[in-house]
Amino acid sequence: AATSLAPFAVSATLDSGKLFKVVPSHFQHKEIRGGELPAKSSDVRKGFIKTPGPLIAIAARRYLSRLESHPISTKGATAAAVTALGDQLAQKIEGRSTLDLRRTLSFGLSGGVYAGPFVHFLFTGISKFVSSLEKRSAVFADRNIRALISVSIDQTLGSSLYFPLYFFVFNFFESVVNGNPHDIGVALERIRNEGW
């Protein structure tokens, strides 16, 4: 299944092989058009989203319900799992004979506490800003223009804010997990060497 970090669209390839776009409930559609499905948990229960098995259906239903009722903690937990798994995969690719679980925990905590919530608020803010532009001028009614503006803000302002702060957060959790005192100088050095 392919997913987007943006809060406005998630794509999923389901058992029928068709590509469906799951649209969060805060973007209301008057009717369901060619493959667009509302992402309310009640819609999953009604059978709009077909999955290859009952366990996946239950997991999808619970995840979408939780995402709707508790978006920040759900996205934080998702980011924690993805970053921890990503670090373990990276360690395997690096050829490590044993996994550094402290490093994985540092990544997981950074993802859960910082990355997930940050991305939630970033894309929520971008979405609200772009929607406000659309109301001001017909030029912004074009979906491609709105997408260009959203990506531009994400890749400039979003990245400029996200990465420097991430180094501080990761350094903090790495220090805590390893039982070392937190040294801001290490984070500043990482920003100088890796961030720019």
Side-chain angles (χ1 to χ4, degrees), residues 182-195:
H182 179 62
D183 184 359
I184 291 177
V186 173
L188 290 172
E189 188 64 29
R190 279 188 172 164
I191 290 170
R192 252 191 309 277
N193 294 334
E194 301 172 27

Side-chain angles (χ1 to χ4, degrees), residues 109-148:
L109 288 169
S110 300
V113 172
Y114 177 70
F118 182 94
V119 170
H120 167 81
F121 287 113
L122 174 68
F123 282 112
T124 299
I126 290 172
S127 179
K128 286 179 182 179
F129 174 72
V130 171
S131 292
S132 74
L133 292 177
E134 185 179 4
K135 293 173 186 172
R136 292 183 187 158
S137 171
V139 172
F140 300 110
D142 183 343
R143 191 171 89 183
N144 294 322
I145 298 291
R146 291 193 315 272
L148 179 65

